[in-house]
Amino acid sequence: MNTKTQSILFVLLFTFCAIQAQEIDPEINATADKLEGKVIEWRRDFHQNPELSNREFETAKKIAKHLKGLGLEVTENVAKTGVVGVLKGDKPGKTVALRADIDALPVTERADVPFKSTVKATFLDTEVGVSHACGHDTHTAILMGVAEILTKYKDKINGTVKFIFQPAEEGPPPGEEGGAKLMIKEGVLKNPDVDAIFGLHINSGTEVGKIRYKPGGTMAAVERFVINVKGKQTHGSAPWTGVDPILISAKIIDGLQTIISRESPLVNEAAVITVGKITSGVRFNIIPESAEMIGTVRTLDPKMRELIIRRMTEMVPSIAKTYGGEATIDFQNNTSITYNDPDLVKKMLPTIQGIAGKENVILSKATTGGEDFSYFQEVVPGFYFFLGGKSPGSEKAAPHHTPDFYIDESGLKLGVKIMSQLTLDYLNAHR
């Protein structure tokens, strides 16, 4: 067979696979329909019993029990409380990883649902309510459903599937490691080596039945920064006898915003600098000695990220010095840019369009929210998309990370179908 003939056959094979990818396997479709009630039941259990990052002990036990019951190879205590299940198909091939995050947030739930969370816990030395105010309970239940389906039809699998149930996506407690970065460090993408990874996120503002996606940068790199300002304490009636760290803090905040408005090429991508917390002083008539500011930087372009961090590092001590004080700034990276591999998106998009309907699959703009799924994507090609969770006809939905956050469970079944078929189609196209 000559080279030209081989090339023609390759094109025909790729075209055939693409056409096939637009149709859901009838058995997968029927099984997902039957499994819907169980997926919702799992979700409600996790919702009613949420656990904070790196403390997902009972959640992990339930996941591990389910995966073991399916006969999978199960590893527990990965990155502290993570669970990984491995399913080997009946035929050899590549390895696909599917990831769900399992942690909850220190948010007291107000949503009026019968399975509302009333859990309390300690977070940063403060008693808080705990709830799945970002929908990780739905991600966990969806992936458990996918595991059950693919295990049932392992004869359709050309290769291996890794089910990654990841703790601490919202960030580990101060002083601890955790999340995707620690899972990678402990070898979750090895033995066998993962060739591609898929993930989804429920979205309270997107209507049930719809999918949102974006090739390339889709969610922001997230930095946490801490600025410490040193002044000189004095009586509030005589500010000229001291150095006011509160005034300096205000000038720093004002100055930082000029980096966004005057130095960042916002026509390329969005960027944000936000100061979310300021701590200073104890009394109304005392100018304090120091102030602390904590905030975040969000970027979608690596060059802009480098520029913004460099300029913040230069600007903060300079502004403080101008007003007679001193200041330092320290950064902690929380996520990288969630980067959807364009080739992978192009190849797998027909699968999503075929299941959800082309009219329901929406090319979206990037968001300045962050996701530590990005760390997986730095190692292997990944595709991360958003699944609709808003009730049809409802006009407004509470944002994620808020007390009134609500998800319409009728959207979960679509997530199960897409993740199951994405896995099969990818492995069949790369056998």
Side-chain angles (χ1 to χ4, degrees), residues 2 11 61 104 210 220 223 237 269 271 290 324 337-338 350 353 366 379 429:
N2 60 39
V11 171
K61 287 179 184 177
K210 298 186 183 297
E223 260 72 39
S237 65
E269 291 287 3
S290 63
I337 296 169
T338 306
Q353 291 174 332
V379 183

Side-chain angles (χ1 to χ4, degrees), residues 179-190:
K181 189 178 284 188
L182 184 56
M183 291 197 109
I184 294 166
K185 183 178 176 181
E186 293 184 3
V188 75
L189 298 178
K190 300 290 184 181

Side-chain angles (χ1 to χ4, degrees), residues 187-236:
V188 75
L189 298 178
K190 300 290 184 181
N191 301 317
D193 292 353
V194 170
D195 296 290
I197 186 166
F198 297 107
L200 60 73
H201 203 302
I202 200 82
N203 184 257
S204 67
T206 299
E207 192 171 297
V208 164
K210 298 186 183 297
I211 300 291
R212 293 187 178 273
Y213 78 100
K214 180 184 178 295
T218 188
M219 297 186 79
V222 176
E223 260 72 39
R224 176 183 185 269
F225 64 83
V226 179
I227 298 173
N228 282 294
V229 180
K230 185 178 179 182
K232 181 181 177 183
Q233 187 164 319
T234 191
H235 199 289

Side-chain angles (χ1 to χ4, degrees), residues 90-395:
D90 286 351
K91 305 158 196 171
K94 300 280 189 179
T95 298
V96 165
L98 308 176
R99 176 272 208 166
D101 36 13
I102 67 175
D103 55 330
L105 285 160
V107 174
T108 300
E109 183 172 15
R110 281 199 301 251
D112 186 19
V113 294
F115 47 93
K116 174 180 177 179
S117 169
T118 57
V119 172
K120 302 280 187 183
T122 301
F123 180 74
L124 299 180
D125 300 321
T126 303
E127 185 179 72
V128 295
V130 182
S131 67
H132 273 290
C134 200
H136 295 186
D137 52 340
T138 67
H139 306 165
T140 304
I142 285 170
L143 192 55
M144 287 170 63
V146 174
E148 185 158 329
I149 289 173
L150 294 181
T151 302
K152 183 179 179 67
Y153 298 109
K154 61 183 295 188
D155 60 307
K156 300 177 185 286
I157 298 174
N158 295 279
T160 302
V161 186
K162 273 191 178 181
F163 302 95
I164 299 174
F165 292 86
Q166 181 211 307
E169 189 282 324
E170 300 292 353
E176 296 184 22
E177 287 186 281
K181 189 178 284 188
L182 184 56
M183 291 197 109
I184 294 166
K185 183 178 176 181
E186 293 184 3
V188 75
L189 298 178
K190 300 290 184 181
N191 301 317
D193 292 353
V194 170
D195 296 290
I197 186 166
F198 297 107
L200 60 73
H201 203 302
I202 200 82
N203 184 257
S204 67
T206 299
E207 192 171 297
V208 164
K210 298 186 183 297
I211 300 291
R212 293 187 178 273
Y213 78 100
K214 180 184 178 295
T218 188
M219 297 186 79
V222 176
E223 260 72 39
R224 176 183 185 269
F225 64 83
V226 179
I227 298 173
N228 282 294
V229 180
K230 185 178 179 182
K232 181 181 177 183
Q233 187 164 319
T234 191
H235 199 289
S237 65
W240 56 88
T241 61
V243 175
D244 189 346
I246 296 177
L247 172 67
I248 293 172
S249 296
K251 297 296 184 180
I252 288 174
I253 293 171
D254 189 44
L256 293 180
Q257 295 309 315
T258 67
I259 299 174
I260 299 298
S261 66
R262 292 296 179 267
E263 299 186 45
S264 301
L266 300 180
V267 292
N268 295 340
E269 291 287 3
V272 174
I273 300 174
T274 294
V275 175
K277 182 182 180 185
I278 304 176
T279 306
S280 186
V282 293
R283 186 175 165 84
F284 78 98
N285 62 350
I286 298 175
I287 290 176
E289 187 172 52
S290 63
E292 181 187 70
M293 291 179 280
I294 303 175
T296 185
V297 180
R298 306 294 172 112
T299 53
L300 288 154
D301 178 89
K303 290 183 180 179
M304 288 173 66
R305 177 175 178 262
E306 182 182 345
L307 166 71
I308 291 168
I309 291 175
R310 175 173 59 79
R311 290 294 291 127
M312 290 177 72
T313 303
E314 294 168 351
M315 187 177 284
V316 166
S318 297
I319 292 175
K321 185 177 180 181
T322 299
Y323 293 93
E326 300 175 7
T328 60
I329 182 168
D330 294 303
F331 291 92
Q332 175 191 329
N333 174 250
N334 290 104
T335 74
S336 296
I337 296 169
T338 306
Y339 185 83
N340 284 333
D341 182 271
D343 288 338
L344 184 62
V345 173
K346 184 178 180 181
K347 290 175 182 176
M348 304 316 301
L349 192 58
T351 296
I352 298 177
Q353 291 174 332
I355 297 170
K358 196 169 183 178
E359 70 283 3
N360 294 318
V361 182
I362 304 162
L363 177 63
S364 301
K365 293 182 179 180
T367 170
T368 48
E371 238 297 342
D372 80 348
F373 185 83
S374 57
Y375 293 127
F376 295 120
Q377 292 173 309
E378 288 184 324
V379 183
V380 298
F383 185 6
Y384 191 79
F385 58 92
F386 296 92
L387 173 70
K390 184 175 76 170
S391 299
S394 61
E395 293 186 6

